Amino acid sequence: ANVTTANVAWDLNTLASGNYDPAVLEEQSFVVNGTVTLPTEINANGVGLNTTISVTVDEADTVEAPTVNVTPGTYDENQTVELSTGTTGATIYYTTDGSQPSVINGNIYNGAINISGTAGSSIQKIITAIAVKLGMFDSSIATFTYTINIPTYTVTVTNGSGSGDYAKGVNVDVTANTAPSGKKVKNWSG
């Protein structure tokens, strides 16, 4: 009269109804058979009792889409782009040619992506990324477009050398012609 619990052995190999596939990420419902073993003070003859339980496995969550640390857009300097996802343990796959990334067609992200331009020209780099994790739906595909326009600056030297187009930060050697006889170079202007 004071026994309140009993053991149940669930038969997960033969379902009473429905199907379950751990690889399926959508919601699944099925019924499991069980055999109840009552304590001997209630069931001295050892008669087994059968029971069933309805089980619903919720749909899997979706991995959070990749994000970047540098806002997509146009820049006049090279950029270093880092990818991340809010889903712990997810792996990010990416491409840099605009093609759709996947586990098969993509690089595994493991460090910053350098986007470099060439002075005087414009380059465009399209990073496309997806985040995946076993037991979850893949994230949506995220696309980030960067344009690098590194400007050049024109240096014009009159009566000397060093004229040309140069990128920002480049050291330029400028040489003045020798001053005419009896004259000195007084100053530079620029």
Side-chain angles (χ1 to χ4, degrees), residues 48-139:
L49 302 173
N50 295 323
T51 187
T52 60
I53 186 171
S54 296
V55 177
T56 299
V57 177
D58 291 337
E59 179 175 273
D61 290 330
T62 300
V63 177
E64 288 187 38
T67 58
V68 288
N69 66 326
V70 176
T71 304
T74 301
Y75 294 90
D76 62 2
E77 294 180 334
N78 296 331
Q79 298 296 310
T80 301
V81 178
E82 296 177 2
L83 300 172
S84 61
T85 176
T87 303
T88 303
T91 301
I92 298 174
Y93 292 87
Y94 73 97
T95 62
T96 55
D97 61 3
S99 64
Q100 298 296 309
S102 68
V103 174
I104 297 168
N105 173 37
N107 303 300
I108 295 177
Y109 176 75
N110 57 14
I113 302 167
N114 293 317
I115 302 175
S116 301
T118 303
S121 65
S122 178
I123 67 107
Q124 186 178 68
K125 180 85 66 164
I126 301 171
I127 299 173
T128 310
I130 189 169
V132 301
K133 183 175 181 180
L134 187 63
M136 296 180 76
F137 286 107
D138 294 349
S139 76

